Amino acid sequence: MVYRSARCSTCKCRRVKVCGSIQAEPASDTQHCQCDSTLPSCQRCRKAGRICVWDPEGELTLHYKSENVFAQGQSRRLKRGADNALYSIAVKRSLPPSLSIPVELHAFHYWAENFTYGPDDLPDIEQEYNSYALSAWNRAKPGSTLHLAVSAYSLAVFGRTRRMYKILEVADKYYTSSVVKMREEIQELSNERIDQLLISTILMTSYENTMYRRRKQYGLHPTPVVNGVSSLDRAVRRPMIRSSILQGETVDAWLQNGALFGEEGPTLAFDALMVRVAAFRSKSLGCFRHIDSGLAKDMTTLNDLTVEAQDLDHALDTWSLGLPEDFTFSLHLLGKEADSKNPSLQYEGGTHRYATYGHAAIWNRYRAVRLVVNGVRLRLLSAQDQFSQEAMRLDIKLENCEKTINALATDMCRSISFFFTVNTTKAVDGPSLGAGSISESEHYIPNIAALLTWPLGVAVSIEAVPYHYKLWLRRRLKTIASVLGNDVVQHVAERKVLKI
């Protein structure tokens, strides 16, 4: 901004201002009411016949002052009478408080808010390691493996869900540090440290799933707990059982008996069935590899596996019929005039209603396990059909198996809308860290959507499930992958990982 030039001393003494203001002496019509700062004598002094005197130390030319000087670290000129200290405090308070918060804290808050706190009515069978991670983090020392692993995972999910990929580079540094620190801490173990390292290992595995396309997996797995069990041990064991089913591997002997880990009631019965399904799938994969290699088929093995599949399917069906009354769900059919908030989540105009998210999650886990059994059973029956003399009888079994698969897939599709509850909570105050950020008020609650990852991942990977079911479920799974920032789930939704 241009500031007006200085007046001559003569005009100053006579109270003549530069920009027309009242003068001490009356001005004639021909007089100008301002000092034009002309050297060596201003126009007003010449007309009045006065001696024009200038201050030798004054500024004699036009000068410029930048209004943005305060942005370079200098204080802006205060208003008259303003108190410097109070003004400084007011300026500081006017700045958004989130600008001074590191991105690590934003990521930690996002992870803690969306991934560690589940619904209050979630049954014990759905409690997994995230439920214990935050309390263990509070007890761990700063700079420990657990602190570093939490930072790595929280930054990874925060960066991917917000599509701020620069943050992933920071997450990778924390992950590398956690690996180095784990090697140090594993040399001196205590009961508390074992729990912390167990959670750290699972968090690091979750980190690898989130960063699936960015780096190679390290193959870290939890170490067996020998000295007693806890709820944390059960929470860690459950995803290991599910992983064995997906990989077609028999569950390790020390993990097979759920009663030793505190499982009881319907949970224990279903746990035992899942262990059986993992062993059954492992044997069936060996049989199918033998068939695919072009070798002669072992009809005895085919028959035995077919009978085992039928027994498993019957056992799973019996388990579902014996559940307590609070597991009962209802089918809500929508009329033509019904206007739902999420029409894309309704399958064939119908949705399921459950008592809680936990009950709905258990039902979908049951459906996924039974789909695995029937998917294998359908392939076994198809292999037998080519060599069997009882073709008509096999046709009936094939038809019943296909009906079971269709019914299970339909129920799973109709359960999806119950999980997809829009998050209407106020977003945490934070800085704008890049374009493409997802508004927290618009996406789905991560810790609820996470309950669908395994069942949907299994359903879309089973060849026997009809294409139109898988296409619909893949779209839902891609949404979940985006909410969780999980790259492995994204791969599964894109048919790049699993094949059951």
Side-chain angles (χ1 to χ4, degrees), residues 65-119:
K65 292 185 180 180
S66 173
E67 288 188 309
N68 295 323
V69 171
F70 70 94
Q72 303 171 6
Q74 301 181 27
S75 300
R76 200 172 194 173
R77 186 176 62 186
L78 301 180
K79 295 181 180 179
R80 183 181 299 176
D83 182 82
N84 290 355
L86 293 177
Y87 181 80
S88 178
I89 292 174
V91 170
K92 290 181 180 178
R93 286 181 178 174
S94 65
L95 295 175
S98 59
L99 293 180
S100 60
I101 300 177
V103 68
E104 288 86 351
L105 289 182
H106 281 288
F108 177 83
H109 179 72
Y110 178 81
W111 167 76
E113 184 73 20
N114 294 290
F115 289 85
T116 62
Y117 296 111

Side-chain angles (χ1 to χ4, degrees), residues 121-259:
D121 54 8
L122 199 65
D124 181 68
I125 190 174
E126 292 299 332
Q127 298 291 344
E128 296 186 359
Y129 72 94
N130 268 325
S131 304
Y132 307 91
L134 194 57
S135 59
W137 181 90
N138 286 326
R139 297 191 299 270
K141 296 179 180 179
S144 63
T145 302
L146 183 56
H147 274 233
L148 294 170
V150 166
S151 296
Y153 181 53
S154 61
L155 284 165
V157 296
F158 185 71
R160 283 189 57 83
T161 55
R162 298 299 186 90
R163 297 185 176 89
M164 296 178 288
Y165 299 110
K166 284 290 184 181
I167 295 179
L168 301 184
E169 298 176 4
V170 182
D172 199 53
K173 294 179 181 178
Y174 276 100
Y175 176 83
T176 302
S177 299
S178 67
V179 174
V180 175
K181 190 65 177 179
M182 177 175 283
R183 293 172 181 170
E184 297 176 6
E185 292 187 352
I186 204 169
Q187 303 300 323
E188 300 178 3
L189 295 178
S190 63
N191 289 335
E192 179 69 17
R193 180 165 287 183
I194 288 175
D195 286 346
Q196 292 179 9
L197 291 178
L198 187 61
I199 295 175
S200 300
T201 303
I202 302 298
L203 281 170
M204 293 160 74
T205 303
S206 299
Y207 171 88
E208 289 292 344
N209 291 340
T210 302
M211 306 282 278
Y212 182 76
R213 305 188 194 193
R214 295 182 62 86
R215 54 183 297 148
K216 296 179 180 179
Q217 296 190 11
Y218 282 86
L220 300 172
H221 301 286
T223 305
V225 180
V226 180
N227 299 323
V229 295
S230 64
S231 56
L232 172 61
D233 300 321
R234 293 197 300 273
V236 173
R237 173 180 172 273
R238 289 162 185 159
M240 296 175 69
I241 303 296
R242 298 198 297 271
S243 178
S244 296
I245 294 176
L246 291 181
Q247 296 174 13
E249 298 176 354
T250 303
V251 178
D252 292 339
W254 65 276
L255 283 173
Q256 289 185 6
N257 191 349

Side-chain angles (χ1 to χ4, degrees), residues 12-13 43 141 156 193 213 244 251 262 303 312 387 416 423-424 435 439 457 476:
K12 284 181 181 180
C13 293
Q43 184 179 6
K141 296 179 180 179
R193 180 165 287 183
R213 305 188 194 193
S244 296
V251 178
N303 290 330
L312 271 174
F387 302 92
I416 301 302
N423 188 354
T424 58
S439 172
R476 311 289 86 77

Side-chain angles (χ1 to χ4, degrees), residues 455-470:
L456 266 63
V458 170
V460 301
S461 303
I462 296 177
E463 293 182 346
V465 175
Y467 177 75
H468 64 278
Y469 290 112
K470 291 194 285 189

Side-chain angles (χ1 to χ4, degrees), residues 404-444:
T404 301
I405 291 173
N406 290 339
L408 292 168
T410 300
D411 283 343
M412 185 175 290
C413 291
R414 286 178 169 174
S415 72
I416 301 302
S417 62
F418 184 81
F419 290 87
F420 278 73
T421 302
V422 177
N423 188 354
T424 58
T425 57
K426 185 178 179 180
V428 178
D429 183 27
S432 178
L433 299 175
S437 299
I438 299 176
S439 172
E440 286 188 291
S441 62
E442 297 177 358
H443 71 61
Y444 301 104

Side-chain angles (χ1 to χ4, degrees), residues 40-60:
S41 179
C42 71
Q43 184 179 6
R44 185 169 183 80
C45 289
R46 285 200 308 271
K47 289 186 176 182
R50 301 185 184 93
I51 298 174
C52 189
V53 180
W54 287 89
D55 184 357
E57 297 181 358
E59 296 178 78
L60 304 181

